[in-house]
Amino acid sequence: MAILVTGGTGYIGSHTVVQLLQNGYDVAIIDNFSNSKPEVLERITQITGKTPRFYEGDILDGKKLDMIFDNENIDAVIHFAGLKSVAESVQKPELYISNNVGGTMVLLKYMAKHNVKNLVFSSSATVYGVPKHVPLCEDDEVGGCTNPYGQTKLDIEFLLKDYAKIHKDANIAILRYFNPIGAHPCGLIGEDPNGIPNNLMPYITQVAVGKRDHLNVFGSDYKTHDGTGVRDYIHVVDLARGHLCALKKLEEKPGLVIYNLGTGKGTSVLDLVKAFEQVNNIKIPYVICDRRPGDVDENYANCDKAYKEMGFKTELDIFDACRDSWNWQKKNPNGYDK
Ligand code: WQD
């Protein structure tokens, strides 16, 4: 039985594929390389000694999905494929809806046709909107998303809940990621954003490697201990392991379940900068700027449910992530481009 990983050459997808292969799973990937590079497949093979079967394509292409499900004996799908830039989603909301929500609808159609019952979905803490309190629990109110990207993740969660009501034998794990950072400790795979990084850690590593001359800190007047935004930064290797815990959970036939994947700790922008400087002995110059529209003061997870119901809790911390992100960036100053 195989696991189909949509978006499996992306940042989180590739780290998850590595762990799936290392744990004996048979893996097939579909990816359109819209936010990744073919080189990732080479790196996955270098790390694991195994090569997942690969189908270049878009999840909106029903014929391609139909062919994959015909060719493969898929037991479960891990669904990462989707556009994920908050800033771009504000400029192009229709593109995000058609790609993220539309793509998931096509995937579900062919999962149902081929009687594939198990799905792990890559959701996001942005579904909580502007938190009324922290830490956030899975049964806290969702909605009021501050950007179309987050809204598409929430729309897909509602779609999956409706799907589970129709397909009573479906087992679906919705995983709400907080802020993924870090890289595989070998430095062969990591975060390689297109263009100017939206996210904090890749921007920091590009300052460290000399691609950017300083970090812009978006706002210092938030209601946090040092005035800068607080988030829950989870190491991508922990996050990937959380997907294997979710696959195991689905073997219990739980129906639809929802889990926060985070550390349960809040870290500010300046905390992360200081941790990076300390671990790597590199100075990160920064300038305090205006707030970025849509940002919230603080957002971090209550992780009790993931531990209680699937035995998942993080083992790595922000210092491990700062070390591993820098190791990836210094070995790959231009990401996957040579
Ligand atoms: C973190 C903090 C910024 C960049 C988003 C999505 C989430 C997930 C991760 C996809 C904030 C500050 C950032 C910079 C800064 N996306 N910052 N200077 O916005 O919490 O979450 O990305 O998987 O779903 O919502 O992450 O890394 O952009 O920002 O000061 O150059 O760093 O203001 O406080 P965010 P982020």
Side-chain angles (χ1 to χ4, degrees):
M1 301 289 264
I3 307 294
L4 175 62
V5 182
T6 76
T9 61
Y11 172 43
I12 303 164
S14 55
H15 285 82
T16 303
V17 167
V18 162
Q19 289 195 36
L20 287 169
L21 293 171
Q22 288 175 333
N23 282 272
Y25 285 94
D26 181 26
V27 177
I29 296 173
I30 178 172
D31 204 310
N32 65 3
F33 292 130
S34 65
N35 194 22
S36 60
K37 305 256 178 8
E39 173 65 17
V40 174
L41 293 165
E42 298 293 318
R43 305 290 181 94
I44 289 172
T45 301
Q46 268 182 272
I47 297 169
T48 64
K50 299 177 182 174
T51 302
R53 288 180 299 288
F54 180 75
Y55 299 87
E56 184 169 355
D58 196 308
I59 55 168
L60 281 160
D61 179 351
K63 277 201 175 56
K64 174 81 77 167
L65 280 175
D66 204 18
M67 177 273 288
I68 294 170
F69 283 120
D70 275 333
N71 274 7
E72 301 279 346
N73 185 9
I74 301 295
D75 177 51
V77 177
I78 303 182
H79 179 29
F80 293 106
L83 298 172
K84 58 167 251 181
S85 162
V86 169
E88 186 186 49
S89 77
V90 173
Q91 307 304 322
K92 304 175 184 171
E94 294 85 358
L95 174 67
Y96 272 66
I97 294 167
S98 64
N99 189 80
N100 293 1
V101 185
T104 304
M105 290 174 77
V106 176
L107 176 66
L108 290 173
K109 175 183 173 183
Y110 288 96
M111 281 181 66
K113 177 182 175 188
H114 293 269
N115 201 24
V116 177
K117 297 182 177 22
N118 303 305
L119 173 67
V120 177
F121 172 60
S122 159
S123 190
S124 165
T126 40
V127 302
Y128 292 111
V130 181
K132 291 186 177 47
H133 65 87
V134 282
L136 285 159
C137 295
E138 289 83 353
D139 53 8
D140 277 334
E141 194 182 334
V142 293
C145 300
T146 57
N147 56 75
Y149 157 78
Q151 188 59 49
T152 64
K153 290 296 187 181
L154 185 57
D155 293 345
I156 294 168
E157 289 198 8
F158 287 135
L159 183 63
L160 294 175
K161 286 174 184 171
D162 288 344
Y163 181 88
K165 285 184 192 130
I166 300 163
H167 301 272
K168 302 224 182 296
D169 57 354
N171 300 295
I172 298 173
I174 293 174
L175 304 182
R176 291 174 179 166
Y177 307 162
F178 280 70
N179 286 60
I181 58 169
H184 193 280
C186 72
L188 283 169
I189 55 175
E191 192 168 9
D192 181 22
N194 290 333
I196 300 171
N198 292 304
N199 295 134
L200 180 59
M201 181 58 97
Y203 204 105
I204 288 174
T205 58
Q206 288 193 10
V207 170
V209 82
K211 272 184 103 164
R212 315 266 168 211
D213 61 1
H214 67 274
L215 169 71
N216 296 308
V217 175
F218 298 143
S220 60
D221 59 349
Y222 286 106
K223 290 191 282 304
T224 63
H225 65 277
D226 64 10
T228 64
V230 166
R231 298 293 184 271
D232 186 332
Y233 294 100
I234 177 171
H235 196 298
V236 67
V237 168
D238 273 333
L239 186 61
R241 183 168 47 82
H243 290 73
L244 275 71
C245 292
L247 280 179
K248 278 266 166 266
K249 180 68 186 177
L250 294 187
E251 289 173 14
E252 299 168 14
K253 302 195 182 335
L256 185 142
V257 287
I258 300 177
Y259 299 113
N260 288 336
L261 293 190
T263 65
K265 296 185 190 71
T267 299
S268 76
V269 176
L270 293 182
D271 290 337
L272 196 65
V273 169
K274 287 188 193 99
F276 188 93
E277 291 180 327
Q278 181 189 325
V279 161
N280 297 309
N281 195 22
I282 296 177
K283 191 83 188 105
I284 299 294
Y286 64 82
V287 172
I288 302 287
C289 306
D290 291 342
R291 291 184 174 197
R292 181 173 64 176
D295 277 350
V296 298
D297 295 63
E298 53 181 353
N299 184 340
Y300 58 92
N302 176 312
C303 312
D304 296 346
K305 191 181 173 201
Y307 183 62
K308 185 163 154 278
E309 296 189 10
M310 57 176 192
F312 174 79
K313 65 179 179 177
T314 52
E315 296 167 358
L316 301 165
D317 62 21
I318 59 164
F319 299 95
D320 298 310
C322 288
R323 179 197 64 225
D324 294 335
S325 284
W326 175 233
N327 184 44
W328 148 255
Q329 185 77 85
K330 73 183 173 190
K331 288 180 176 171
N332 305 273
N334 296 313
Y336 290 108
D337 291 330
K338 292 278 180 261

